[in-house]
Amino acid sequence: MTQGTQTKPVDLFVIGGGINGCGIARDAAGRGLSVTLAEMDDLASATSSASTKLFHGGLRYLEYFEVRLVQEALEEREVLLKAMPHISWPMRFVLPYHKDMRFESETPTSRVLSRVMPWMKGRRPAWLIRLGLFLYDTLGGRKILPATRTLSLKGTPEGAPLQDRFEKAFEYSDCWIEDSRLVALNARDAEARGATILTRMQVAHATREGDLWRVETKDMESGAEATHYARMLVNAGGPWVGRIIHDTIDLPSTEGVRLVRGSHIVTRKLYDHDKCYFFQGEDGRIIFAIPYERDFTLIGTTDADHEDPSQKPVCTEAERDYLIAFANRYFAKAISAADVVWSYSGVRPLYDDGASSATAATRDYTLKVNATGGAPVLNVFGGKITTYRRLAESALEKIGEHLPLAKGPWTAGVPLAGGDFPVAGFDALVRETQAAYPFLDGTWARRLVRAYGIEAKDILGPATQAEDLGRAFGATLTEAEVTWLMDREYARRAEDVVWRRSKLGLRLSAEEIAALDAWMTGRHDRKDSRADAAE
């Protein structure tokens, strides 16, 4: 993670430290390319930490006939699950059925059925939902995840939180993913394979100089400027991809990006079982209600156009109230704004396909190379977190047309740091960790293993009591863990730790977070002072 003027050109300079940028950097470094990645903030500080936290095929995308996207995502679920069983795990989704459920009016499926079955008046028939779930079960070659089943909601735990009018449901499989940890682990693996990862480093400008890119960067903390050279540029700027094209690298382009804001709310735990709900609205939209961080329920998401990437996305009162009203059409016990303990919002940088609404805009990715007039640049539009690895492979295919690659695709089945244990081995690893460190209670041990997998023991080291882990910041967060996150996972500020590397911000007070931030700032400053003295 060194900084300064780079005199020797690298093969690839990646702009953007979200999941697409880090995924491409990891894949490229593993194929023998020299790689530098620059992120102007923390890793996953924008879209990649603000998802619905799912590795899923996208059941509703079938209504838009996006079969290739759904199939690729479904195939990826189990590939990814095997590579990261600590930060990803299977979940069952309960889809309650009611005759008043309707399509979003602009979907291709809705238009077809309106012509051939006009008497349905836009309703989603049960047989069509079951057909979609059959395709969902079969398109991806499912081996680990259980199949769809029909479920009675009368007198069952799944039906208990719902209104009595819901008597029947379909239950299917998808997977959870700790999205921002996924980004950090991809960055770590990229660095382990030779990449340079620069965080808080803005790319101020990039210009072609013959067959190279000259990239000017600015350290967002110190203000220090540096110059880098690269044979190829990757623009994985997420919401800023369009601005980077037009302002940072100043290239003409007819490709457009559509920014779509997705907001979520978090409430206190709304039900006792560990399954998720897939709720369909009478307007054709859908939301999820998902068990979250043991004591909470996550509800989302919305779809709204977002004009300016520099405007921080927030869950508006209107979006919050929309999600509450949507959930209240299903839950027997109504929730209100007073039940919301946190909200977050992210901007999806979708490829602008001219769709009539934010909901209808494609979630597929588009990769465009511009090699006119000198060194090539690859611009990355769209994508979803489930297909990030496949997007990276597709990106390397295009990069390989301009740079020599030492080997072909390699990432499938290769575990990320901490994930080298069986999918079904999580509980055993928790027990093993508790046995080695008896001072950990079950909740603390599960949190550490969920975050770090087999590396939890590396963080705990030779400790025989909690005090051996150094300062306690609250909610089981210790100096040993924060030090690990700063030294190994690029964390710099308290928000990096409590809202991205973890969600302990839900449990820590404002005063505790401020104290953590002061400690981290002091440690970082002392480390920088020692580095300057060594030079």
Side-chain angles (χ1 to χ4, degrees), residues 354-383:
S356 59
S357 69
T359 302
T362 181
R363 269 53 177 174
D364 209 346
Y365 55 82
T366 299
L367 307 175
K368 297 287 185 178
V369 174
N370 181 324
T372 304
V377 56
L378 170 67
N379 295 307
V380 180
F381 300 91

PDB file of all heavy atoms in Angstrom, residues 354-383:
ATOM      1  N   GLY A 354     -32.555   2.799 -21.786  1.00  0.00           N
ATOM      2  CA  GLY A 354     -33.750   3.513 -22.235  1.00  0.00           C
ATOM      3  C   GLY A 354     -35.034   3.029 -21.613  1.00  0.00           C
ATOM      4  O   GLY A 354     -36.125   3.368 -22.094  1.00  0.00           O
ATOM      5  N   ALA A 355     -34.959   2.231 -20.535  1.00  0.00           N
ATOM      6  CA  ALA A 355     -36.175   1.715 -19.898  1.00  0.00           C
ATOM      7  C   ALA A 355     -37.039   2.866 -19.387  1.00  0.00           C
ATOM      8  O   ALA A 355     -36.545   3.943 -19.035  1.00  0.00           O
ATOM      9  CB  ALA A 355     -35.804   0.786 -18.751  1.00  0.00           C
ATOM     10  N   SER A 356     -38.341   2.613 -19.340  1.00  0.00           N
ATOM     11  CA  SER A 356     -39.281   3.668 -18.976  1.00  0.00           C
ATOM     12  C   SER A 356     -39.275   3.996 -17.494  1.00  0.00           C
ATOM     13  O   SER A 356     -39.734   5.048 -17.083  1.00  0.00           O
ATOM     14  CB  SER A 356     -40.700   3.261 -19.395  1.00  0.00           C
ATOM     15  OG  SER A 356     -41.074   2.053 -18.757  1.00  0.00           O
ATOM     16  N   SER A 357     -38.764   3.087 -16.657  1.00  0.00           N
ATOM     17  CA  SER A 357     -38.758   3.331 -15.222  1.00  0.00           C
ATOM     18  C   SER A 357     -37.484   2.787 -14.612  1.00  0.00           C
ATOM     19  O   SER A 357     -36.785   1.950 -15.201  1.00  0.00           O
ATOM     20  CB  SER A 357     -39.966   2.667 -14.551  1.00  0.00           C
ATOM     21  OG  SER A 357     -39.842   1.256 -14.575  1.00  0.00           O
ATOM     22  N   ALA A 358     -37.170   3.271 -13.405  1.00  0.00           N
ATOM     23  CA  ALA A 358     -35.991   2.780 -12.687  1.00  0.00           C
ATOM     24  C   ALA A 358     -36.108   1.292 -12.405  1.00  0.00           C
ATOM     25  O   ALA A 358     -35.127   0.548 -12.455  1.00  0.00           O
ATOM     26  CB  ALA A 358     -35.814   3.569 -11.387  1.00  0.00           C
ATOM     27  N   THR A 359     -37.327   0.830 -12.099  1.00  0.00           N
ATOM     28  CA  THR A 359     -37.543  -0.582 -11.797  1.00  0.00           C
ATOM     29  C   THR A 359     -37.234  -1.456 -13.000  1.00  0.00           C
ATOM     30  O   THR A 359     -36.693  -2.564 -12.873  1.00  0.00           O
ATOM     31  CB  THR A 359     -39.000  -0.811 -11.355  1.00  0.00           C
ATOM     32  OG1 THR A 359     -39.263   0.015 -10.225  1.00  0.00           O
ATOM     33  CG2 THR A 359     -39.241  -2.264 -10.992  1.00  0.00           C
ATOM     34  N   ALA A 360     -37.579  -0.959 -14.203  1.00  0.00           N
ATOM     35  CA  ALA A 360     -37.439  -1.766 -15.417  1.00  0.00           C
ATOM     36  C   ALA A 360     -36.034  -1.741 -16.000  1.00  0.00           C
ATOM     37  O   ALA A 360     -35.714  -2.554 -16.866  1.00  0.00           O
ATOM     38  CB  ALA A 360     -38.429  -1.285 -16.469  1.00  0.00           C
ATOM     39  N   ALA A 361     -35.174  -0.813 -15.560  1.00  0.00           N
ATOM     40  CA  ALA A 361     -33.829  -0.710 -16.112  1.00  0.00           C
ATOM     41  C   ALA A 361     -33.055  -2.007 -15.869  1.00  0.00           C
ATOM     42  O   ALA A 361     -33.130  -2.601 -14.801  1.00  0.00           O
ATOM     43  CB  ALA A 361     -33.088   0.469 -15.489  1.00  0.00           C
ATOM     44  N   THR A 362     -32.287  -2.439 -16.872  1.00  0.00           N
ATOM     45  CA  THR A 362     -31.585  -3.713 -16.787  1.00  0.00           C
ATOM     46  C   THR A 362     -30.570  -3.728 -15.652  1.00  0.00           C
ATOM     47  O   THR A 362     -29.908  -2.729 -15.371  1.00  0.00           O
ATOM     48  CB  THR A 362     -30.873  -4.048 -18.105  1.00  0.00           C
ATOM     49  OG1 THR A 362     -30.221  -5.316 -17.986  1.00  0.00           O
ATOM     50  CG2 THR A 362     -29.834  -3.001 -18.471  1.00  0.00           C
ATOM     51  N   ARG A 363     -30.467  -4.882 -14.972  1.00  0.00           N
ATOM     52  CA  ARG A 363     -29.446  -5.100 -13.937  1.00  0.00           C
ATOM     53  C   ARG A 363     -28.240  -5.838 -14.503  1.00  0.00           C
ATOM     54  O   ARG A 363     -27.303  -6.149 -13.767  1.00  0.00           O
ATOM     55  CB  ARG A 363     -30.033  -5.896 -12.768  1.00  0.00           C
ATOM     56  CG  ARG A 363     -30.634  -5.072 -11.635  1.00  0.00           C
ATOM     57  CD  ARG A 363     -31.648  -4.070 -12.060  1.00  0.00           C
ATOM     58  NE  ARG A 363     -32.236  -3.366 -10.910  1.00  0.00           N
ATOM     59  CZ  ARG A 363     -33.072  -2.355 -11.022  1.00  0.00           C
ATOM     60  NH1 ARG A 363     -33.412  -1.895 -12.215  1.00  0.00           N
ATOM     61  NH2 ARG A 363     -33.573  -1.767  -9.949  1.00  0.00           N
ATOM     62  N   ASP A 364     -28.248  -6.125 -15.790  1.00  0.00           N
ATOM     63  CA  ASP A 364     -27.115  -6.800 -16.414  1.00  0.00           C
ATOM     64  C   ASP A 364     -25.952  -5.818 -16.546  1.00  0.00           C
ATOM     65  O   ASP A 364     -26.129  -4.604 -16.460  1.00  0.00           O
ATOM     66  CB  ASP A 364     -27.520  -7.330 -17.790  1.00  0.00           C
ATOM     67  CG  ASP A 364     -26.744  -8.570 -18.178  1.00  0.00           C
ATOM     68  OD1 ASP A 364     -25.722  -8.866 -17.525  1.00  0.00           O
ATOM     69  OD2 ASP A 364     -27.146  -9.252 -19.144  1.00  0.00           O
ATOM     70  N   TYR A 365     -24.755  -6.357 -16.755  1.00  0.00           N
ATOM     71  CA  TYR A 365     -23.596  -5.492 -16.896  1.00  0.00           C
ATOM     72  C   TYR A 365     -23.212  -5.338 -18.356  1.00  0.00           C
ATOM     73  O   TYR A 365     -23.500  -6.188 -19.202  1.00  0.00           O
ATOM     74  CB  TYR A 365     -22.413  -6.020 -16.082  1.00  0.00           C
ATOM     75  CG  TYR A 365     -22.004  -7.440 -16.371  1.00  0.00           C
ATOM     76  CD1 TYR A 365     -21.181  -7.763 -17.449  1.00  0.00           C
ATOM     77  CD2 TYR A 365     -22.408  -8.491 -15.543  1.00  0.00           C
ATOM     78  CE1 TYR A 365     -20.788  -9.076 -17.708  1.00  0.00           C
ATOM     79  CE2 TYR A 365     -22.028  -9.792 -15.778  1.00  0.00           C
ATOM     80  CZ  TYR A 365     -21.222 -10.085 -16.861  1.00  0.00           C
ATOM     81  OH  TYR A 365     -20.841 -11.370 -17.106  1.00  0.00           O
ATOM     82  N   THR A 366     -22.558  -4.234 -18.647  1.00  0.00           N
ATOM     83  CA  THR A 366     -22.078  -3.934 -19.990  1.00  0.00           C
ATOM     84  C   THR A 366     -20.637  -3.458 -19.878  1.00  0.00           C
ATOM     85  O   THR A 366     -20.325  -2.588 -19.055  1.00  0.00           O
ATOM     86  CB  THR A 366     -22.940  -2.839 -20.650  1.00  0.00           C
ATOM     87  OG1 THR A 366     -24.292  -3.309 -20.746  1.00  0.00           O
ATOM     88  CG2 THR A 366     -22.429  -2.512 -22.044  1.00  0.00           C
ATOM     89  N   LEU A 367     -19.758  -4.027 -20.680  1.00  0.00           N
ATOM     90  CA  LEU A 367     -18.335  -3.690 -20.677  1.00  0.00           C
ATOM     91  C   LEU A 367     -17.965  -3.112 -22.036  1.00  0.00           C
ATOM     92  O   LEU A 367     -18.199  -3.746 -23.064  1.00  0.00           O
ATOM     93  CB  LEU A 367     -17.487  -4.926 -20.385  1.00  0.00           C
ATOM     94  CG  LEU A 367     -17.857  -5.725 -19.128  1.00  0.00           C
ATOM     95  CD1 LEU A 367     -17.010  -6.994 -19.043  1.00  0.00           C
ATOM     96  CD2 LEU A 367     -17.665  -4.883 -17.878  1.00  0.00           C
ATOM     97  N   LYS A 368     -17.375  -1.923 -22.042  1.00  0.00           N
ATOM     98  CA  LYS A 368     -17.028  -1.247 -23.286  1.00  0.00           C
ATOM     99  C   LYS A 368     -15.562  -0.833 -23.261  1.00  0.00           C
ATOM    100  O   LYS A 368     -15.108  -0.184 -22.315  1.00  0.00           O
ATOM    101  CB  LYS A 368     -17.895  -0.003 -23.489  1.00  0.00           C
ATOM    102  CG  LYS A 368     -19.389  -0.295 -23.622  1.00  0.00           C
ATOM    103  CD  LYS A 368     -19.707  -0.937 -24.979  1.00  0.00           C
ATOM    104  CE  LYS A 368     -21.214  -1.105 -25.161  1.00  0.00           C
ATOM    105  NZ  LYS A 368     -21.544  -1.672 -26.491  1.00  0.00           N
ATOM    106  N   VAL A 369     -14.823  -1.204 -24.307  1.00  0.00           N
ATOM    107  CA  VAL A 369     -13.416  -0.826 -24.429  1.00  0.00           C
ATOM    108  C   VAL A 369     -13.282   0.294 -25.454  1.00  0.00           C
ATOM    109  O   VAL A 369     -13.848   0.222 -26.545  1.00  0.00           O
ATOM    110  CB  VAL A 369     -12.545  -2.026 -24.849  1.00  0.00           C
ATOM    111  CG1 VAL A 369     -11.106  -1.569 -25.118  1.00  0.00           C
ATOM    112  CG2 VAL A 369     -12.557  -3.096 -23.767  1.00  0.00           C
ATOM    113  N   ASN A 370     -12.542   1.332 -25.093  1.00  0.00           N
ATOM    114  CA  ASN A 370     -12.191   2.404 -26.021  1.00  0.00           C
ATOM    115  C   ASN A 370     -10.683   2.368 -26.192  1.00  0.00           C
ATOM    116  O   ASN A 370      -9.937   2.601 -25.248  1.00  0.00           O
ATOM    117  CB  ASN A 370     -12.646   3.759 -25.445  1.00  0.00           C
ATOM    118  CG  ASN A 370     -12.339   4.917 -26.381  1.00  0.00           C
ATOM    119  OD1 ASN A 370     -11.316   4.943 -27.061  1.00  0.00           O
ATOM    120  ND2 ASN A 370     -13.229   5.905 -26.399  1.00  0.00           N
ATOM    121  N   ALA A 371     -10.248   2.019 -27.403  1.00  0.00           N
ATOM    122  CA  ALA A 371      -8.816   1.968 -27.704  1.00  0.00           C
ATOM    123  C   ALA A 371      -8.466   2.918 -28.836  1.00  0.00           C
ATOM    124  O   ALA A 371      -7.377   2.847 -29.405  1.00  0.00           O
ATOM    125  CB  ALA A 371      -8.406   0.540 -28.070  1.00  0.00           C
ATOM    126  N   THR A 372      -9.374   3.822 -29.129  1.00  0.00           N
ATOM    127  CA  THR A 372      -9.152   4.769 -30.211  1.00  0.00           C
ATOM    128  C   THR A 372      -8.229   5.883 -29.742  1.00  0.00           C
ATOM    129  O   THR A 372      -8.519   6.576 -28.771  1.00  0.00           O
ATOM    130  CB  THR A 372     -10.489   5.382 -30.678  1.00  0.00           C
ATOM    131  OG1 THR A 372     -11.372   4.334 -31.054  1.00  0.00           O
ATOM    132  CG2 THR A 372     -10.274   6.322 -31.852  1.00  0.00           C
ATOM    133  N   GLY A 373      -7.104   6.029 -30.412  1.00  0.00           N
ATOM    134  CA  GLY A 373      -6.212   7.146 -30.109  1.00  0.00           C
ATOM    135  C   GLY A 373      -5.146   6.855 -29.083  1.00  0.00           C
ATOM    136  O   GLY A 373      -4.510   7.785 -28.586  1.00  0.00           O
ATOM    137  N   GLY A 374      -4.940   5.597 -28.736  1.00  0.00           N
ATOM    138  CA  GLY A 374      -3.869   5.308 -27.795  1.00  0.00           C
ATOM    139  C   GLY A 374      -4.182   4.157 -26.875  1.00  0.00           C
ATOM    140  O   GLY A 374      -4.881   3.205 -27.247  1.00  0.00           O
ATOM    141  N   ALA A 375      -3.688   4.244 -25.636  1.00  0.00           N
ATOM    142  CA  ALA A 375      -3.844   3.159 -24.675  1.00  0.00           C
ATOM    143  C   ALA A 375      -5.326   2.897 -24.405  1.00  0.00           C
ATOM    144  O   ALA A 375      -6.142   3.827 -24.359  1.00  0.00           O
ATOM    145  CB  ALA A 375      -3.132   3.513 -23.379  1.00  0.00           C
ATOM    146  N   PRO A 376      -5.698   1.627 -24.223  1.00  0.00           N
ATOM    147  CA  PRO A 376      -7.119   1.284 -24.058  1.00  0.00           C
ATOM    148  C   PRO A 376      -7.654   1.575 -22.655  1.00  0.00           C
ATOM    149  O   PRO A 376      -6.907   1.573 -21.671  1.00  0.00           O
ATOM    150  CB  PRO A 376      -7.157  -0.218 -24.343  1.00  0.00           C
ATOM    151  CG  PRO A 376      -5.782  -0.703 -23.999  1.00  0.00           C
ATOM    152  CD  PRO A 376      -4.845   0.430 -24.306  1.00  0.00           C
ATOM    153  N   VAL A 377      -8.966   1.802 -22.594  1.00  0.00           N
ATOM    154  CA  VAL A 377      -9.669   1.927 -21.321  1.00  0.00           C
ATOM    155  C   VAL A 377     -10.911   1.042 -21.379  1.00  0.00           C
ATOM    156  O   VAL A 377     -11.593   0.987 -22.402  1.00  0.00           O
ATOM    157  CB  VAL A 377     -10.064   3.390 -21.020  1.00  0.00           C
ATOM    158  CG1 VAL A 377     -10.894   4.000 -22.144  1.00  0.00           C
ATOM    159  CG2 VAL A 377     -10.831   3.487 -19.691  1.00  0.00           C
ATOM    160  N   LEU A 378     -11.176   0.334 -20.302  1.00  0.00           N
ATOM    161  CA  LEU A 378     -12.380  -0.481 -20.175  1.00  0.00           C
ATOM    162  C   LEU A 378     -13.327   0.215 -19.212  1.00  0.00           C
ATOM    163  O   LEU A 378     -12.977   0.469 -18.058  1.00  0.00           O
ATOM    164  CB  LEU A 378     -12.023  -1.877 -19.643  1.00  0.00           C
ATOM    165  CG  LEU A 378     -13.197  -2.773 -19.229  1.00  0.00           C
ATOM    166  CD1 LEU A 378     -14.031  -3.162 -20.443  1.00  0.00           C
ATOM    167  CD2 LEU A 378     -12.700  -4.023 -18.504  1.00  0.00           C
ATOM    168  N   ASN A 379     -14.531   0.531 -19.690  1.00  0.00           N
ATOM    169  CA  ASN A 379     -15.554   1.148 -18.859  1.00  0.00           C
ATOM    170  C   ASN A 379     -16.569   0.098 -18.436  1.00  0.00           C
ATOM    171  O   ASN A 379     -17.062  -0.668 -19.266  1.00  0.00           O
ATOM    172  CB  ASN A 379     -16.251   2.276 -19.618  1.00  0.00           C
ATOM    173  CG  ASN A 379     -15.312   3.421 -19.939  1.00  0.00           C
ATOM    174  OD1 ASN A 379     -14.643   3.947 -19.053  1.00  0.00           O
ATOM    175  ND2 ASN A 379     -15.233   3.807 -21.204  1.00  0.00           N
ATOM    176  N   VAL A 380     -16.869   0.050 -17.148  1.00  0.00           N
ATOM    177  CA  VAL A 380     -17.758  -0.960 -16.579  1.00  0.00           C
ATOM    178  C   VAL A 380     -19.077  -0.303 -16.191  1.00  0.00           C
ATOM    179  O   VAL A 380     -19.109   0.595 -15.353  1.00  0.00           O
ATOM    180  CB  VAL A 380     -17.126  -1.614 -15.327  1.00  0.00           C
ATOM    181  CG1 VAL A 380     -18.063  -2.664 -14.738  1.00  0.00           C
ATOM    182  CG2 VAL A 380     -15.769  -2.232 -15.672  1.00  0.00           C
ATOM    183  N   PHE A 381     -20.157  -0.774 -16.818  1.00  0.00           N
ATOM    184  CA  PHE A 381     -21.495  -0.271 -16.517  1.00  0.00           C
ATOM    185  C   PHE A 381     -22.324  -1.378 -15.873  1.00  0.00           C
ATOM    186  O   PHE A 381     -22.327  -2.517 -16.334  1.00  0.00           O
ATOM    187  CB  PHE A 381     -22.217   0.173 -17.794  1.00  0.00           C
ATOM    188  CG  PHE A 381     -21.527   1.267 -18.554  1.00  0.00           C
ATOM    189  CD1 PHE A 381     -20.610   0.959 -19.554  1.00  0.00           C
ATOM    190  CD2 PHE A 381     -21.799   2.593 -18.297  1.00  0.00           C
ATOM    191  CE1 PHE A 381     -19.980   1.956 -20.279  1.00  0.00           C
ATOM    192  CE2 PHE A 381     -21.176   3.603 -19.013  1.00  0.00           C
ATOM    193  CZ  PHE A 381     -20.257   3.288 -20.003  1.00  0.00           C
ATOM    194  N   GLY A 382     -23.051  -1.021 -14.818  1.00  0.00           N
ATOM    195  CA  GLY A 382     -24.030  -1.939 -14.253  1.00  0.00           C
ATOM    196  C   GLY A 382     -23.405  -3.090 -13.504  1.00  0.00           C
ATOM    197  O   GLY A 382     -22.301  -3.025 -12.973  1.00  0.00           O
ATOM    198  N   GLY A 383     -24.169  -4.193 -13.459  1.00  0.00           N
ATOM    199  CA  GLY A 383     -23.748  -5.373 -12.720  1.00  0.00           C
ATOM    200  C   GLY A 383     -24.464  -5.478 -11.394  1.00  0.00           C
ATOM    201  O   GLY A 383     -25.048  -4.521 -10.886  1.00  0.00           O
TER     202      GLY A 383
END
